[in-house]
Amino acid sequence: MQQVAELDHLDDVAVLQHLEAAKRSMSRDLLRDPVVLARGLDRTFRTRAHLRVIGDALADVGRGECPRLMIFTPPQVGKSTTVAEWFPFWWLCLYPTDRAAITSYGDDLALRRGKTIRRYVEEYGDEYDLRVKAGSGAMQDWEVTKGGGVRSVSVGKGLTGFDVNLLIIDDPHKDRADAESEASRRALHDWYSSTALKRLQPDRNAIVGIQTRWHPDDWAGRRLADEGRVEEGGRWRVIHLPAIADPKFGTDPLGREHGEPLPHPKIPARDTVQLRGWWADMKATSIPRDWHSLAQGDPQPAEGALVSEELLRMIRDGSTKVEPQKIAVSIDPSGGGRDTAGVIGGFLGDDKRVWITHDVSAPMSSAEWSTAACRLAYETNAAIIYVEWNFGRDMAVLALETSWEALQRSGDIPENVLMPKIDPVRAKQGKLLRAEPIAQQMVQDKVRLRGVFTDLEREWATWQPSDPDSPGRIDASCILVYGLIPESNKGAIVHAPLPTSPTSSASRQPPPSAGPYGRRIAK
């Protein structure tokens, strides 16, 4: 009996040792990256494809393969929790003698991050021999028993005398007003250069920044301008995950096609309808500059634009009853799909105003933009298609005729519906000479928007005459006005119009649902 008891005891010990070994192995496996660690320890942490991309990039930082990293995403998609809370805890699990600094625009936000990291150490640290040092009671500055620790401070202060191996910069600008203040930006840049960088240690150091891109010269903008991106031979790796994928930002980290939405931790991964609706609602309820800053990570300058956001809001009118006199589609062709093709729909009303009703512009090849224009012309019963005629006249005509015939063969357009007339608009050479007269038409309340057109408004409210790129939506809307009101093309004003109100106010109600005005049938 004694021998049996001893064997049972040995079996229990072996089982316990096996379980302990399995537990240690699982704990090591969780350290693959911060997102795997978060999901393994916190069952409420929801992973999505974009968080896995972020987790992989943070693991590269921890291995020393990527010492400088910026991450741009919309708000509330798990970025800050992952980068400013789980990542520093993960780092301490690997390097318990290191010190991490968590910085933000205010002490309260930074302190909240520091408290959360400390809670992780207290709840999960035993698995990694990580414990808070006895007597290390300051929430803003605490240590672990092996010498490492965390300091949580606002940008601009608090790092003197503190060695830093890992620097997290979490929203260094409080809001748009702070980012647009030249004095605030200068103070932040000076602090980063004179204080933050000087605390980094030579044995191991890394900087990870996450922020809303409020201004071209914000913290991230200045770093990228001064030090460049890795793919351009610079220093910073950038993970840019806009709410809606756009080829203007380069290859999408998730492999998304143009227009595809970013996942959200609180929306089921397969529920694309709810996901698209979420981002569409955010876009519809944001002014263009806020949408592009918050959701797209694409800051837009406000100074020097031809028209103001206020003016664009005032010329939105979705309720005034007006009878279309001439319905048209205008096109600014793209260069082989390399840039945005402008395709705009609208009409000249019996009130002598041009009403912009549709914007289906996108990065498209000639076959794609000609098909989009033909579809729009059929849907709106347009009598004419205006084409920017300064370049590619014969190509544009051929592309449109080919697309119309293809749509009729496929049954998308009935065979007895006549193709609209294709009419050239020889706009003035030079983008500024083209756009200034149309901006003036807006000021004089001769152009109205039949609803909210976020992307079109963003181009008008941010495009600078000195910009090298050619904005397709602006050009196409200019072509539409030039075609419907030819006299607007007779001369350009010398100076850009002041961003004042139009001569009569316009309703701001949402537009009515778009639909055909009737059909032209061949006899």
Side-chain angles (χ1 to χ4, degrees):
M1 293 294 294
Q2 183 177 357
Q3 290 179 337
V4 172
E6 289 175 353
L7 288 174
D8 288 343
H9 173 69
L10 290 175
D11 287 343
D12 289 343
V13 171
V15 169
L16 181 60
Q17 290 175 340
H18 178 74
L19 292 175
E20 289 292 336
K23 186 176 180 181
R24 288 193 299 270
S25 177
M26 184 180 70
S27 296
R28 288 193 300 270
D29 290 343
L30 292 181
L31 290 178
R32 190 186 78 83
D33 67 58
V35 171
V36 171
L37 181 66
R39 187 67 184 93
L41 298 179
D42 182 1
R43 297 301 176 184
T44 66
F45 186 92
R46 298 181 178 92
T47 57
R48 292 292 184 268
H50 67 288
L51 294 179
R52 289 192 288 272
V53 168
I54 291 173
D56 289 341
L58 294 174
D60 290 342
V61 174
R63 289 190 293 265
E65 299 173 7
C66 171
R68 300 291 183 271
L69 176 66
M70 293 180 188
I71 299 172
F72 308 135
T73 77
Q76 299 183 10
V77 295
K79 168 181 78 268
S80 294
T81 298
T82 301
V83 176
E85 296 175 357
W86 281 107
F87 177 50
F89 171 66
W90 175 86
W91 186 284
L92 287 176
C93 291
L94 293 178
Y95 310 114
T97 62
D98 281 4
R99 294 187 172 189
I102 315 299
T103 64
S104 186
Y105 63 80
D107 283 331
D108 290 344
L109 179 58
L111 182 58
R112 187 162 71 247
R113 304 294 186 209
K115 286 181 176 179
T116 300
I117 300 166
R118 177 172 174 142
R119 177 169 60 81
Y120 292 161
V121 171
E122 292 171 344
E123 291 185 15
Y124 311 119
D126 285 346
E127 297 291 332
Y128 304 98
D129 197 23
L130 192 65
R131 298 173 183 84
V132 176
K133 182 179 179 180
S136 181
M139 290 293 104
Q140 200 165 22
D141 188 358
W142 49 269
E143 298 179 5
V144 294
T145 54
K146 293 190 176 181
V150 173
R151 176 170 288 189
S152 309
V153 296
S154 61
V155 296
K157 61 181 181 180
L159 289 180
T160 302
F162 184 81
D163 297 340
V164 176
N165 300 101
L166 173 63
L167 175 63
I168 303 292
I169 297 180
D170 175 19
D171 272 333
H173 303 280
K174 181 178 181 180
D175 49 28
R176 180 184 294 284
D178 180 60
E180 291 186 344
S181 165
E182 184 177 355
S184 294
R185 293 199 311 274
R186 186 186 305 114
L188 174 61
H189 297 322
D190 289 347
W191 168 84
Y192 177 77
S193 175
S194 63
T195 301
L197 290 180
K198 303 307 182 285
R199 306 315 307 167
L200 295 175
Q201 298 303 293
D203 57 339
R204 184 168 40 249
N205 67 79
I207 303 174
V208 179
I210 51 177
Q211 67 161 94
T212 294
R213 291 300 317 277
W214 289 118
H215 192 279
D217 187 45
D218 56 21
W219 176 82
R222 177 69 67 89
R223 307 286 79 73
L224 293 175
D226 290 351
E227 301 176 43
R229 297 169 181 256
V230 169
E231 61 269 25
E232 299 168 351
R235 194 168 192 183
W236 288 89
R237 179 179 178 185
V238 177
I239 304 296
H240 189 171
L241 292 159
I244 303 299
D246 191 324
K248 71 178 288 186
F249 304 126
T251 303
D252 187 76
L254 298 178
R256 295 177 294 168
E257 297 294 330
H258 176 66
E260 291 186 6
L262 185 73
H264 194 289
K266 294 187 177 180
I267 298 176
R270 296 183 180 180
D271 193 345
T272 56
V273 173
Q274 183 181 356
L275 189 61
R276 290 180 182 278
W278 171 259
W279 295 124
D281 183 68
M282 181 177 179
K283 185 175 183 178
T285 56
S286 302
I287 65 173
R289 289 183 70 210
D290 283 352
W291 164 257
H292 285 273
S293 289
L294 287 163
Q296 296 297 87
D298 185 24
Q300 304 293 327
E303 303 83 3
L306 291 179
V307 295
S308 69
E309 291 175 349
E310 179 185 5
L311 173 60
L312 291 165
R313 286 195 301 272
M314 295 189 72
I315 65 173
R316 294 176 192 158
D317 185 352
S319 63
T320 297
K321 292 182 178 180
V322 58
E323 187 66 28
Q325 302 298 298
K326 182 189 288 187
I327 304 169
V329 170
S330 62
I331 306 170
D332 177 57
S334 62
R338 291 186 299 274
D339 58 358
T340 297
V343 181
I344 301 292
F347 63 83
L348 178 67
D350 57 1
D351 58 354
K352 305 303 180 183
R353 293 187 178 97
V354 171
W355 293 78
I356 294 176
T357 59
H358 296 76
D359 175 13
V360 295
S361 308
M364 293 183 282
S365 66
S366 60
E368 291 170 332
W369 61 249
S370 57
T371 299
C374 288
R375 287 184 184 278
L376 181 59
Y378 170 67
E379 291 170 3
T380 60
N381 194 30
I384 194 165
I385 298 177
Y386 293 118
V387 181
E388 203 281 328
W389 218 252
N390 293 343
F391 304 99
R393 167 179 177 167
D394 294 337
M395 180 274 292
V397 172
L398 178 61
L400 288 166
E401 290 177 344
T402 301
S403 293
W404 188 272
E405 293 172 0
L407 289 169
Q408 287 190 320
R409 285 196 303 270
S410 66
D412 293 280
I413 297 177
E415 291 186 2
N416 61 347
V417 175
L418 297 175
M419 182 179 181
K421 176 185 177 182
I422 302 175
D423 203 24
V425 172
R426 294 177 177 85
K428 292 182 176 296
Q429 295 287 346
K431 291 174 290 191
L432 179 59
L433 290 179
R434 251 182 252 176
E436 275 194 327
I438 307 309
Q440 183 69 5
Q441 300 292 316
M442 294 180 182
V443 172
Q444 295 175 355
D445 196 22
K446 294 181 180 179
V447 176
R448 288 194 181 181
L449 306 176
R450 200 66 163 164
V452 180
F453 297 92
T454 301
D455 294 324
L456 175 63
E457 293 178 39
R458 188 267 303 175
E459 282 193 4
W460 273 107
T462 60
W463 180 74
Q464 310 283 313
S466 59
D467 287 350
D469 62 318
S470 180
R473 289 179 174 86
I474 285 183
D475 285 351
S477 56
C478 289
I479 292 163
L480 180 71
V481 179
Y482 283 145
L484 294 174
I485 310 179
E487 57 268 24
S488 63
N489 197 20
K490 292 180 179 178
I493 57 177
V494 177
H495 301 290
L498 296 174
T500 55
S501 303
T503 54
S504 63
S505 61
S507 169
R508 302 184 188 181
Q509 297 182 27
S513 58
Y517 299 102
R519 300 294 180 207
R520 301 180 319 284
I521 306 299
K523 295 182 180 179

